[in-house]
């Protein structure tokens, strides 16, 4: 099951991504932690959690830990991967500062198509390759950008 098979708003995708991160780092996800990560009030998460539960993507009971179902975990991993690739592209390749890259990746991850994401992923891998001198293409790009700014 993928996010294309289940209709999810950007907000619900963000909820899944945060729940996945909390399960990965803290072993459990709680409504208050989800709210804190999303920068919203704890009472505001209830509607989103109920919607995800209804779609079979999380196990939710009020005042209990929230867990991803297998389908929810699969979609959350897909969203997290999109974010990671876009963040790498923006930060490592385009040299956008980390905070801006992360925020921009979060917005783009919801609308990017699979083919474009795959091409960006290939570009990130290519740019990280080393040439015969041991330099990466990223090193050359950084140098090019610096030289261009100076002239």
């Amino acid at each position: 099951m993928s996010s294309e098979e289940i209709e999810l708003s950007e907000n619900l995708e963000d909820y899944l991504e945060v729940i996945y991160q909390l399960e990965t780092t803290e072993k459990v996800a709680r409504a208050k932690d989800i709210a804190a990560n999303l920068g919203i009030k704890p009472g505001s998460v209830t509607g989103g959690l109920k919607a995800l539960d209804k779609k079979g993507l999380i196990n939710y009971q009020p005042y209990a830990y929230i867990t991803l179902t297998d389908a929810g975990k699969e979609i959350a991993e897909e969203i997290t991967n999109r974010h990671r690739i876009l963040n790498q592209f923006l930060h490592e390749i385009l040299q956008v500062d980390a905070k801006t890259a992360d925020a921009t990746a979060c917005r783009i991850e919801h609308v990017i198509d699979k083919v474009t994401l795959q091409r960006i992923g290939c570009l990130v891998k290519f740019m990280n390759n080393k040439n015969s001198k041991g330099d990466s293409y990223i090193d050359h790009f950084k140098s090019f950008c610096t030289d261009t700014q100076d002239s």
Side-chain angles (χ1 to χ4, degrees), residues 92-93 95 137-147:
E92 295 175 18
I93 307 301
Q95 301 295 299
Y137 293 102
I138 293 173
D139 296 330
H140 289 288
F141 183 69
K142 285 180 193 175
S143 181
F144 176 81
C145 288
T146 302
D147 292 346

Side-chain angles (χ1 to χ4, degrees), residues 86-124:
L86 291 165
N87 191 45
Q88 279 183 301
F89 173 70
L90 294 166
H91 184 61
E92 295 175 18
I93 307 301
L94 297 183
Q95 301 295 299
V96 174
D97 70 90
K99 186 175 179 180
T100 302
D102 189 57
T104 304
C106 191
R107 290 192 306 274
I108 296 172
E109 74 190 29
H110 302 292
V111 295
I112 194 165
D113 64 276
K114 258 186 183 167
V115 172
T116 304
L117 182 68
Q118 288 172 339
R119 295 292 181 166
I120 289 172
C122 286
L123 179 62
V124 170

Side-chain angles (χ1 to χ4, degrees), residues 16-40:
L16 284 176
E17 189 175 17
V18 166
I19 294 166
Y20 178 75
Q21 290 168 354
L22 288 168
E23 280 190 348
T24 302
T25 59
E26 307 295 325
K27 304 296 182 218
V28 296
R30 295 179 297 219
K32 70 177 187 169
D33 297 326
I34 296 165
N37 275 272
L38 293 172
I40 58 178

